[in-house]
Amino acid sequence: MELAQFNALHSQVLWAAFAVAAVFGFIAQRTHFCTMGAISDIVNMGDWTRMRMWAMAVGVAAIGFYGMAALGWIDPKQSFYTAARIVWLSALVGGALFGFGMVLGSGCGSKTLVRIGGGSLKGLVVFLAMGVAAFMTLRGVFAVVRVNTVDRVAFELPAGGALPNWLSSGLGWSAGQAGLVGALVVGGALVIWALASRDFRQANNLLAGLGIGLTVAAMWWVSGRLGFVAEHPETLDAVFLGSNSGRMESLTFTAPMAYTIDWLIFFSDSSKVLTFGVVTVVGVVVGSFVSSLLDRSFRWEGFRSTQDTALHLVGGLLMGIGGVTALGCTIGQGLSGLSTLSLTSLLAVVGIVLGALLGFRFQMWLLERE
C-alpha cells in the first residue's frame, strides 16, 4: 500500500467511525437509551424495559462480534478486552466509582454526550470534569495512584480472558467455532429474554436494542476490518488506523473524552492527530443534536442550584477516574466489552451496578435531609 492510499484509508476510517457514532447518538436520544436510567427504572418503579433494551443491545453486539470473527473479518485477540490478565480489582473499584458518579452526574459518559446534543449545559460541565479527570487518571497524578494500587492486583488466565477462549481450550474447538457458539448461546439468551416481554416489543424499544447493538458491532468492523492494515507503508508493522490503544476498538467514551480535550487544546501541534475516539465523541453529540431538532426536544438546560452544580462536578470527576481505572464505561465495558464475552468486562459491569445502587441511596439521603 502506498502512503497516499494509507492516508486516504485513514480518513475513510475516521469518517466511518463518525457516521456510526452519529447513528448511536441519534438512536440513544430518540429512544432514551441509558444504562443509569435502566437501573433507576428498576429500583424506583420496578420497570425493566430499558434494561431489556440494554440486554438486547449486548446480545446483538456479541452475535455480531463473533459472527464477524467466524467469517475471519476480525480477530478477537486484537481487543484488549480479551487479554489474559484479569485486573479484577481495577474493574470492580473503577466500576463502582463510575457507577456512583453517573448517578450524581445524571447519566454515564454516552448519556452526557447525548444530553449536550440536546442542549444541556449540565452535560457540558460533566464532560469537561470527566475528560480532565480521565486524563489525570491516564497520565497524571491519579495514574500514579492507579498503577501502584489496584492495577497491581490481577491474575492470569492462560487460555485468555473471554468465554470463547475457555470453550476453545477446554473442548478443543477452533477459536471461530467457540466464539460463535458462545455468542449465540449468551447473546441469544439475552435477546430472547428481552423479547419475552410483550410490553417490550414496541418499535422504540426494538430500535434501541437492535440499533445500539448494531452500532457497536459496526464499530468493531470499522476498526478491526476496514481500519486494519497488515503493513504500514513506512514501518511495515501491522496497524489499526486511528486507534488510541493500538488495538481494535469499538465504542467507549471515558478515555476518548480526555483525548478530545487534549486534541482541542493542542490542535496546532502536528503530532496531535485526529483519532477514532475523538471522532466518536463528536459523532454522538452531532447525532443527538440532529435527533433533538427533528423531534423538537432541543432546549437549553442549566443548573438548578449550587448543590446541583457540585453534584454534577463530583459525578464527572468520579466517572473520569472510575472509567479509566475500570478500562471502560457503561458502553466501553458494558456493551463493547461484554460483546467480546470478557470476564473483566463482566466484573466492571458488576462494579458499575453496585456503585449506582450506592449512588441512589446517597441521593435518597440527600432528599431526606432536605
Side-chain angles (χ1 to χ4, degrees):
M1 178 182 289
E2 299 293 332
L3 185 59
Q5 294 174 309
F6 179 85
N7 291 334
L9 179 59
H10 190 193
S11 296
Q12 291 175 21
V13 169
L14 294 180
W15 277 112
F18 172 82
V20 175
V23 172
F24 175 96
F26 186 97
I27 295 173
Q29 194 281 336
R30 183 58 56 93
T31 63
H32 303 291
F33 183 91
C34 175
T35 308
M36 189 210 75
I39 300 171
S40 175
D41 288 350
I42 296 170
V43 172
N44 296 320
M45 300 181 291
D47 184 0
W48 286 75
T49 300
R50 283 202 280 185
M51 185 56 71
R52 291 179 188 273
M53 289 182 185
W54 189 84
M56 185 175 182
V58 173
V60 169
I63 294 170
F65 179 84
Y66 280 107
M68 289 186 288
L71 292 170
W73 293 357
I74 61 174
D75 181 3
K77 293 180 181 178
Q78 297 301 323
S79 164
F80 71 82
Y81 296 114
T82 58
R85 187 169 187 265
I86 309 299
V87 285
W88 64 271
L89 189 59
S90 296
L92 288 171
V93 172
L97 289 173
F98 187 93
F100 193 90
M102 76 176 182
V103 173
L104 301 187
S106 301
C108 64
S110 64
K111 186 64 174 181
T112 295
L113 298 175
V114 169
R115 292 172 67 211
I116 292 173
S120 174
L121 299 179
K122 287 184 179 183
L124 181 59
V125 170
V126 172
F127 165 77
L128 293 172
M130 186 174 172
V132 170
F135 207 92
M136 293 171 68
T137 313
L138 283 167
R139 300 179 185 176
V141 61
F142 297 145
V144 176
V145 176
R146 170 178 60 81
V147 170
N148 289 296
T149 55
V150 291
D151 280 4
R152 291 180 176 271
V153 183
F155 60 88
E156 297 276 343
L157 290 175
L163 174 61
N165 301 129
W166 313 331
L167 292 177
S168 178
S169 177
L171 301 176
W173 295 352
S174 69
Q177 288 176 325
L180 189 57
V181 170
L184 288 173
V185 172
V186 177
L190 289 172
V191 172
I192 291 170
W193 175 74
L195 295 174
S197 170
R198 180 177 299 176
D199 293 336
F200 176 80
R201 297 194 294 270
Q202 299 177 20
N204 200 61
N205 300 332
L206 296 175
L207 174 62
L210 183 61
I212 295 294
L214 287 176
T215 58
V216 173
M219 205 66 86
W220 281 124
W221 181 87
V222 170
S223 178
R225 177 71 171 178
L226 178 65
F228 177 68
V229 176
E231 288 187 358
H232 189 287
E234 294 179 331
T235 66
L236 302 183
D237 293 328
V239 61
F240 290 95
L241 297 177
S243 170
N244 287 107
S245 65
R247 298 189 180 190
M248 177 173 62
E249 299 176 359
S250 186
L251 288 170
T252 188
F253 295 109
T254 306
M257 287 185 179
Y259 300 139
T260 301
I261 292 174
D262 181 56
W263 183 75
L264 290 171
I265 292 174
F266 295 102
F267 178 79
S268 61
D269 185 343
S270 59
S271 66
K272 298 294 182 180
V273 297
L274 200 58
T275 61
F276 196 85
V278 175
V279 298
T280 55
V281 165
V282 177
V284 171
V285 174
V286 170
S288 172
F289 175 69
V290 172
S291 177
S292 66
L293 288 182
L294 291 176
D295 66 12
R296 299 182 179 180
S297 63
F298 182 91
R299 65 182 180 87
W300 296 111
E301 178 191 21
F303 292 102
R304 299 187 306 273
S305 63
T306 302
Q307 183 188 74
D308 191 31
T309 306
L311 290 175
H312 280 78
L313 279 171
V314 173
L317 292 172
L318 290 176
M319 283 194 287
I321 297 169
V324 171
T325 301
L327 301 178
C329 56
T330 53
I331 303 300
Q333 288 284 31
L335 290 181
S336 297
L338 283 184
S339 72
T340 71
L341 305 183
S342 161
L343 175 58
T344 300
S345 298
L346 179 61
L347 293 173
V349 170
V350 170
I352 289 171
V353 172
L354 292 176
L357 293 175
L358 287 174
F360 291 134
R361 290 180 66 90
F362 176 71
Q363 282 190 328
M364 289 300 298
W365 177 75
L366 288 178
L367 289 173
E368 289 170 0
R369 286 189 63 194
E370 295 175 358

